[in-house]
Amino acid sequence: MEASVSFSQNMDDEYEKLIRRMNPPRVVIDNESCKNATVIQVDSANKQGILLEVVQVLTDLNLMITKAYICSDGGWFMDVFNVTDHDGNKITDEGILDYIQKSLGPDSCFASSMRRSVGVTSGMDHTSIELIGSDRPGLLSEVSAVLTHLKCNVVNAEVWTHNTRAAAVMQVTDEENGGAITDPERLAMVKRLLCNVLKGSNKSREAKTVVSVGATHTERRLHQMMFDDRDYERMGNDSADEKERPNVNVVNWHDKDYSVVTIRCKDRPKLLFDIVCTLTDMQYVVFHGNVDAEGPEAYQEYCIRHIDGSPVKSDAERQRVIQCLEAAIQRRVSEGLKLELCTSDRVGLLSDVTRIFRENSLTVTRAEVATRAGKAVNTFYVRDASGYPVDPKIIDSIRQTIGQTILRVKGSPEESNQVPQESPTRFLFGGLFKSRSFCNFGLVRSYS
């Protein structure tokens, strides 16, 4: 019986390879037909998850998708994307164009891109740590302090908070040899101590720590972790956030046996990826779609069915789809000042930085940590610990504590004086350790 199943699976794999050889993917990149965008068309034999793989390649290159047309009904997949760089220009870099062709074209096999928003993973040269738990003051400082004590250097990391939960994917190296940590006993200790930190005194929600060696797509995993953690379940009375909530609607199109999902919200980078990622995780297939994000507001429409071929079957399922898509959009939303810290990398840097923020009454709502050619480039979104906009005197205090610094504030003063909203997810970072002076930091407010 087992041999029969194995034979059937092998036949399916060979059939898929045959279809691919007969109908290889085709990528057409056009910089002439559209005045203000590069048009990328991808044609391929259809398969589950192909839309996410294509969108992931484009967003990992930090391209802005301003329009998209999606059609994957039947055995064929066709997507058309209008893309620009972050300055709104067409894509003319031959290296990027060649990468798109190789990643999506006949020789690609649609292998998932390993580029990340905070760096590029590179195989077995680091240890990946995934953390999920309840958000609370000082959590990241405690985590980074434990890693420093265990002689682990955080070289890349991304941290999201949403709806009282915090998730992180961190890449660490051994302080002694600069490579992955492979000793099973040491890995077990890392996992045990970090899990204790995550649990804290909160026993009502589960905390998880996963340690592995190798590469992972950070943002993909963060979505999966928070989705599995059910961060989309609304906590208490959230009417205060009603104005900020995306407009998500789901209706059934009975004539075509589809469910139609429409989304209107403020546009931002990687919005399409976040939505497609969540639909895929929820086991829905997008058959048709239209995306328009040329203005400040993005409009997206998708015709979907569950992987079993059925549309949304009940009001409870409809509400769950709405809540999950809202959560996918809001996880990446960041409030407060955007600060970028650039300096030579060293063990314990993240712990020191978050401690100084905390000692200056700042809390961080989201973070990206990257190491590039021996330099640490850390981005933090910070607010006053009480939820109010950051006082300029606090920035001056940080400048005096850190040393030689350059601090740039994005946007107008009006943007910094928005009405604060109470939220338990404002308190992720910080520590209660004593500060020690250190210099040669560049604290830069990003304009990207």
Side-chain angles (χ1 to χ4, degrees):
M1 188 70 174
E2 291 181 0
S4 175
V5 172
S6 176
F7 176 75
S8 176
Q9 291 173 342
N10 289 337
M11 288 295 292
D12 288 342
D13 292 340
E14 291 302 319
Y15 179 73
E16 183 175 334
K17 292 177 183 178
L18 176 62
I19 294 297
R20 184 179 179 85
R21 286 194 296 267
M22 294 174 61
N23 301 281
R26 185 170 69 99
V27 179
V28 177
I29 300 177
D30 178 8
N31 261 324
E32 303 299 328
S33 62
C34 184
K35 180 179 180 181
N36 54 7
T38 298
V39 180
I40 300 174
Q41 179 174 325
V42 181
D43 299 314
S44 172
N46 198 13
K47 70 170 185 176
Q48 171 65 10
I50 190 173
L51 175 61
L52 175 59
E53 292 175 351
V54 173
V55 170
Q56 183 172 298
V57 167
L58 298 178
T59 54
D60 285 349
L61 290 170
N62 289 318
L63 303 182
M64 305 292 291
I65 300 174
T66 58
K67 279 190 175 184
Y69 170 76
I70 299 161
C71 181
S72 61
D73 217 345
W76 197 251
F77 168 86
M78 185 188 78
D79 264 13
V80 180
F81 300 93
N82 285 17
V83 302
T84 69
D85 61 19
H86 274 257
D87 297 322
N89 301 317
K90 294 183 179 183
I91 312 304
T92 57
D93 187 312
E94 290 297 330
I96 293 177
L97 298 178
D98 183 61
Y99 179 85
I100 293 172
Q101 284 281 2
K102 290 181 178 178
S103 298
L104 302 179
D107 300 326
S108 66
C109 295
F110 285 99
S112 296
S113 167
M114 292 312 301
R115 287 182 179 267
R116 306 164 56 254
S117 63
V118 293
V120 181
T121 59
S122 52
M124 306 293 285
D125 61 350
H126 63 262
T127 299
S128 295
I129 301 175
E130 298 177 358
L131 309 170
I132 185 81
S134 295
D135 188 19
R136 71 172 190 272
L139 180 58
L140 185 63
S141 279
E142 294 178 42
V143 167
S144 56
V146 167
L147 292 173
T148 300
H149 175 72
L150 295 173
K151 299 187 181 302
C152 302
N153 185 36
V154 180
V155 293
N156 292 298
E158 189 152 350
V159 183
W160 290 358
T161 63
H162 179 247
N163 200 13
T164 77
R165 304 297 285 172
V169 175
M170 313 178 91
Q171 296 176 358
V172 303
T173 58
D174 190 325
E175 177 183 349
E176 294 184 0
N177 59 32
I181 301 166
T182 57
D183 177 34
E185 292 186 4
R186 189 174 174 195
L187 290 175
M189 180 179 292
V190 169
K191 183 175 181 178
R192 183 175 67 255
L193 294 180
L194 290 180
C195 203
N196 289 339
V197 169
L198 287 172
K199 288 179 181 178
S201 60
N202 188 345
K203 306 299 182 182
S204 61
R205 292 290 297 272
E206 186 179 7
K208 295 180 182 178
T209 303
V210 177
V211 180
S212 62
V213 178
T216 184
H217 188 278
T218 300
E219 294 165 314
R220 181 82 176 95
R221 283 298 300 141
L222 284 169
H223 274 301
Q224 291 173 331
M225 291 161 60
M226 299 199 90
F227 174 75
D228 291 341
D229 192 58
R230 304 173 71 90
D231 75 316
Y232 52 84
E233 294 181 342
R234 294 171 184 163
M235 306 293 291
N237 181 12
D238 58 354
S239 59
D241 296 325
E242 199 68 41
K243 292 182 179 179
E244 302 297 324
R245 183 175 297 164
N247 184 347
V248 182
N249 192 29
V250 180
V251 297
N252 279 359
W253 186 8
H254 296 289
D255 291 345
K256 298 293 185 181
D257 210 26
Y258 291 125
S259 292
V260 180
V261 178
T262 56
I263 301 166
R264 291 183 184 273
C265 65
K266 183 179 179 181
D267 189 32
R268 60 164 175 76
K270 303 191 179 182
L271 178 63
L272 178 59
F273 170 82
D274 296 337
I275 291 170
V276 172
C277 191
T278 297
L279 288 172
T280 303
D281 288 341
M282 296 183 73
Q283 300 291 297
Y284 290 103
V285 179
V286 176
F287 288 88
H288 301 281
N290 283 289
V291 175
D292 187 346
E294 289 191 309
E297 182 181 69
Y299 174 80
Q300 301 188 18
E301 180 180 81
Y302 303 96
C303 296
I304 67 169
R305 292 186 191 131
H306 194 267
I307 196 171
D308 65 7
S310 66
V312 172
K313 298 176 182 177
S314 65
D315 186 63
E317 183 182 357
R318 187 179 74 86
Q319 290 297 329
R320 183 170 182 265
V321 171
I322 291 173
Q323 289 183 9
C324 290
L325 290 176
E326 288 176 351
I329 295 168
Q330 293 173 328
R331 284 172 196 142
R332 203 192 289 267
V333 173
S334 305
E335 299 181 14
L337 296 175
K338 184 178 180 182
L339 306 178
E340 185 175 278
L341 184 91
C342 302
T343 186
S344 297
D345 184 41
R346 63 174 175 81
V347 176
L349 176 62
L350 182 61
S351 179
D352 288 337
V353 171
T354 55
R355 184 185 65 245
I356 286 180
F357 285 159
R358 175 62 178 171
E359 290 173 346
N360 284 274
S361 301
L362 295 184
T363 185
V364 184
T365 60
R366 187 162 73 87
E368 296 176 1
V369 176
T371 305
R372 300 165 186 158
K375 293 288 185 180
V377 182
N378 301 344
T379 301
F380 304 94
Y381 293 82
V382 301
R383 292 183 68 88
D384 183 85
S386 63
Y388 288 88
V390 177
D391 189 328
K393 293 180 181 179
I394 291 180
I395 302 302
D396 293 339
S397 176
I398 291 176
R399 181 179 295 115
Q400 293 174 8
T401 302
I402 292 178
Q404 299 177 357
T405 62
I406 300 175
L407 184 66
R408 297 179 182 177
V409 180
K410 180 181 178 181
S412 63
E414 288 77 11
E415 290 180 330
S416 299
N417 290 314
Q418 295 175 350
V419 178
Q421 297 179 355
E422 293 293 333
S423 171
T425 62
R426 298 293 174 264
F427 308 101
L428 172 65
F429 297 100
L432 300 177
F433 309 107
K434 291 183 179 181
S435 172
R436 69 174 185 270
S437 298
F438 57 101
C439 301
N440 299 324
F441 279 81
L443 191 57
V444 182
R445 178 67 183 273
S446 172
Y447 284 87
S448 59

